[in-house]
Amino acid sequence: MPLCPCRVSPSLSLLTTPIAYSDCCQPYHDAVDVNHSADSNTPKADSAERLMRTRYSAFVLQKAGYIVKTTVPAQQPLLDIKDIESWAQETDWAGLQILSHTPKLAKRHAQVEFKAYYHTAEGTKAHHELSSFVKIAERWYFLDPTVAMTISQKQPCLCGSGEKFKRCCGGYLS
Ligand SMILES: [Zn+2]
Ligand SMILES: [Zn+2]
């Protein structure tokens, strides 16, 4: 039974109990493949860390659709799925390490600091990132700071919270 990609880490001492893909990220990936709507019957990530893990596994398994669907809906049309696909394919992924999880950074925001490892000719390297997430209708979404948004600081936030952008997701997207 294949291990879930999100449970593999280059440092063996960091490995917790091995978990099969089917018991870890697969149900989340399958739910989005089958049903694109935010149906309450589909499994959904109950924390930003859970979502972060499923997104890492989706990169490893080249499920670009999952990456798109778990980004905040207002940014989804601005993502280039082909770009995501080729980046996922060209990267020789080596493992994931969650460094910290702040589940309640603010009313509807959370952050996860992680290292995503990959092999290169010069050895194993890591993307070290602090990612931000927003909860909309009981579902977590990734806030992508690399997507240029044409929204002013005083406009209502793209997440639909009703707050001004600058007081809500704007702080995590600049
Ligand atoms: Zn997993
Ligand atoms: Zn917001």
Side-chain angles (χ1 to χ4, degrees), residues 144-156:
D144 191 338
T146 69
V147 175
M149 300 300 296
T150 52
I151 181 168
S152 87
Q153 295 294 322
K154 290 184 178 172
Q155 276 181 293

Side-chain angles (χ1 to χ4, degrees), residues 157 159 161 168-169:
C157 192
C159 75
S161 66
C168 192
C169 299

Side-chain angles (χ1 to χ4, degrees), residues 3-7 19-21 23-26 28-29 50 53-54 57:
L3 273 186
C4 192
C6 86
R7 303 289 171 170
I19 299 181
Y21 174 56
D23 294 332
C24 191
C25 294
Q26 187 173 24
Y28 300 93
H29 293 165
R50 181 70 265 184
R53 285 185 177 280
T54 61
S57 296

Side-chain angles (χ1 to χ4, degrees), residues 47-49 98-114 130-134 140 172:
S47 71
E49 180 183 348
I98 305 281
L99 300 172
S100 71
H101 174 209
T102 309
K104 238 185 176 329
L105 189 68
K107 205 175 3 174
R108 58 182 69 84
H109 292 97
Q111 282 182 322
V112 180
E113 184 184 5
F114 65 93
L130 177 63
S131 289
S132 302
F133 299 84
V134 62
W140 285 100
Y172 307 102

Side-chain angles (χ1 to χ4, degrees), residues 24-149:
C24 191
C25 294
Q26 187 173 24
Y28 300 93
H29 293 165
D30 287 354
V32 166
D33 282 347
V34 172
N35 186 351
H36 290 182
S37 69
D39 186 321
S40 58
N41 294 323
T42 60
K44 58 189 171 193
D46 59 4
S47 71
E49 180 183 348
R50 181 70 265 184
L51 184 68
M52 166 61 225
R53 285 185 177 280
T54 61
R55 284 174 55 90
Y56 171 78
S57 296
F59 274 115
V60 177
L61 300 168
Q62 298 169 24
K63 291 179 176 287
Y66 187 85
I67 300 299
V68 173
K69 295 287 175 191
T70 53
T71 302
V72 70
Q75 290 188 316
Q76 289 180 12
L78 304 167
L79 296 176
D80 187 337
I81 194 159
K82 291 269 172 268
D83 255 20
I84 297 170
E85 268 166 10
S86 49
W87 189 60
Q89 271 167 26
E90 286 158 18
T91 308
D92 184 7
W93 300 99
L96 176 69
Q97 182 186 0
I98 305 281
L99 300 172
S100 71
H101 174 209
T102 309
K104 238 185 176 329
L105 189 68
K107 205 175 3 174
R108 58 182 69 84
H109 292 97
Q111 282 182 322
V112 180
E113 184 184 5
F114 65 93
K115 283 184 176 178
Y117 294 92
Y118 56 99
H119 298 295
T120 71
E122 296 91 51
T124 305
K125 295 190 175 171
H127 298 287
H128 185 176
E129 283 184 36
L130 177 63
S131 289
S132 302
F133 299 84
V134 62
K135 199 177 200 179
I136 305 172
E138 299 305 304
R139 195 169 276 263
W140 285 100
Y141 293 93
F142 173 60
L143 288 167
D144 191 338
T146 69
V147 175
M149 300 300 296

